[in-house]
Amino acid sequence: MSSIKAFSPLSRILLCLAVASASTPVLADTVWLKNGDRLSGTIRVFDGNKLVLETGYGGTIAIDWKQVATLESEQHLLVKQDDVTGEHAKALVPAEPGKVTLANDTAPKTVELASIEQIMKPKPLIEDFSWKGNIDVGVDYKRAEKDTDDYDIDLKTQARHGRWRHNAEAEYNREKQNEVETTDNWSADYALDRFLDEKWFWQGRLGYKRDYIEDLARQRTIGTGPGYQFWDDELGAFSLAGLINRRDYEYANGDKDNFYALTARWDYNRYLVGKTVELFTSGEVGKPLGNVADYALDAEAGLRYKVTDWASLNIKAEKDIVSGSDGDIDETRYSLGFGVGW
């Protein structure tokens, strides 16, 4: 009896609230299939005829859109019926088979599922904090007439807080043929973006590359200029930036050059097939304002296949050209490897 009396009225109230909150079901999205099955989870994206549903019982599931009868969600979602315009729905309400109702501030709108091209969570301009990135590792051992050991490590990460966005990249490449080093270089790059509105931003950039094999031993870059973010959503991102750079070249024989250059940078990625395949490319092409070189190109392109939510396989091609200088460079590298993303 004494233990029961020890509970005060406030304690009893808190205990009741705790029990009630623990027993309250967690809200989830629901997908009804044409065969009568019902799946619960969180809708992540619909694109490429696949609806991606994240579940607590089966991980991420890609559902064939043609098998969906209707669906329900309390998320704020962007529903696009063409490539340009989209409707912001505060919720999705189930309707008769083959249709769904978009709940918004005005009158609810019922649409055919077949007319929907994309569903995704809208990305606001101002976010408290977001961080994403990936590390790709490629290793190739070949034992033949020429023994080849090839290592490639690539880090790319991006963090955003409000109107500020931080971009960092680092890469290391090393290759040996019959114990003779044919490639040995590393590079690091950092850029800070300040968004002026939803699309336009101003960028400042610092870069450094060290090469222990080629005649062009060191490259230092500092630049600034405007950029434009065409899109950045659940399915990928695409941005362009035009910069004026100050470049410093140092060659293996001790010669040095410094000059200004006009450059264009791009960064593009796009998820395909229900976010299981990612197409990506990034790089920079520039025209020196002096007579040091005709042009310079540093670019990469590839495909990434998601094995799990965080692990992926990737294939990538890299091109590095400095044309018209004393230490001309024309390198092409191909790699196949394993990656981790977040």
Side-chain angles (χ1 to χ4, degrees):
M1 293 291 291
S2 60
S3 61
I4 296 176
K5 291 181 180 179
F7 283 104
S8 66
L10 178 59
S11 300
R12 293 192 183 97
I13 293 173
L14 294 176
L15 180 61
C16 292
L17 290 175
V19 173
S21 62
S23 61
T24 301
V26 178
L27 296 177
D29 302 335
T30 304
V31 179
W32 285 268
L33 303 181
K34 291 180 179 179
N35 64 4
D37 291 345
R38 184 177 67 177
L39 301 176
S40 296
T42 301
I43 294 174
R44 290 304 181 194
V45 68
F46 162 62
D47 182 65
N49 294 321
K50 296 292 183 181
L51 177 68
V52 179
L53 185 71
E54 185 176 317
T55 70
Y57 49 85
T60 300
I61 301 174
I63 305 170
D64 186 349
W65 187 245
K66 294 180 181 179
Q67 303 304 317
V68 176
T70 188
L71 55 156
E72 179 180 36
S73 176
E74 294 190 4
Q75 296 187 74
H76 185 184
L77 296 170
L78 176 63
V79 180
K80 300 182 72 173
Q81 293 179 275
D82 56 53
D83 294 332
V84 180
T85 60
E87 182 159 347
H88 291 261
K90 290 190 172 181
L92 302 181
V93 181
E96 59 185 276
K99 297 181 180 181
V100 68
T101 299
L102 312 181
N104 46 44
D105 292 328
T106 59
K109 178 182 177 182
T110 300
V111 299
E112 299 277 350
L113 292 181
S115 70
I116 299 176
E117 294 191 1
Q118 292 178 344
I119 299 176
M120 68 188 75
K121 192 170 182 63
K123 191 168 186 179
L125 172 63
I126 304 298
E127 293 182 301
D128 289 338
F129 183 76
S130 64
W131 181 35
K132 62 182 179 180
N134 57 270
I135 299 175
D136 294 329
V137 179
V139 180
D140 181 24
Y141 295 97
K142 182 180 179 181
R143 294 296 179 264
E145 184 178 347
K146 287 186 177 181
D147 294 341
T148 302
D149 298 338
D150 190 3
Y151 309 91
D152 181 51
I153 302 174
D154 192 1
L155 165 67
K156 187 173 183 179
T157 185
Q158 183 182 100
R160 181 164 177 175
H161 177 66
R163 292 182 179 269
W164 296 96
R165 184 172 64 186
H166 304 266
N167 310 273
E169 299 178 30
E171 185 175 8
Y172 175 69
N173 297 306
R174 187 176 184 181
E175 181 180 294
K176 285 185 176 181
Q177 289 188 355
N178 291 336
E179 299 301 321
V180 177
E181 289 190 350
T182 56
T183 300
D184 188 4
N185 61 65
W186 64 270
S187 62
D189 198 78
Y190 170 75
L192 178 63
D193 300 332
R194 166 66 178 180
F195 277 83
L196 308 176
D197 58 22
E198 187 176 355
K199 299 292 186 179
W200 288 97
F201 61 88
W202 193 271
Q203 183 176 104
R205 179 173 290 272
L206 297 172
Y208 181 81
K209 183 174 182 179
R210 179 71 170 97
D211 197 308
Y212 299 94
I213 303 297
E214 299 293 339
D215 290 336
L216 183 53
R218 291 180 173 86
Q219 301 179 51
R220 303 178 186 88
T221 305
I222 180 171
T224 186
Y228 189 79
Q229 188 77 48
F230 289 88
W231 68 80
D232 185 1
D233 53 41
E234 190 77 20
L235 293 174
F238 177 41
S239 65
L240 284 176
L243 309 175
I244 180 168
N245 291 335
R246 153 84 183 213
R247 291 188 181 274
D248 291 278
Y249 283 0
E250 183 177 334
Y251 299 95
N253 61 9
D255 292 344
K256 295 182 180 180
D257 282 319
N258 59 77
F259 57 92
Y260 289 90
L262 297 177
T263 63
R265 290 191 63 90
W266 72 91
D267 194 352
Y268 172 90
N269 75 299
R270 179 69 162 83
Y271 289 100
L272 308 169
V273 195
K275 293 196 70 174
T276 58
V277 178
E278 180 188 7
L279 170 66
F280 63 90
T281 177
S282 63
E284 177 182 272
V285 60
K287 171 64 178 176
L289 299 181
N291 296 320
V292 177
D294 295 331
Y295 72 94
L297 172 69
D298 186 3
E300 67 172 23
L303 289 172
R304 187 175 288 113
Y305 174 76
K306 294 186 68 174
V307 181
T308 68
D309 289 341
W310 56 271
S312 63
L313 299 175
N314 63 81
I315 182 171
K316 181 172 58 176
E318 300 175 83
K319 189 72 172 179
D320 191 5
I321 298 176
V322 178
S323 177
S325 68
D326 294 335
D328 283 3
I329 291 177
D330 190 347
E331 294 181 350
T332 303
R333 291 176 53 83
Y334 301 94
S335 62
L336 176 66
F338 174 80
V340 175
W342 62 90

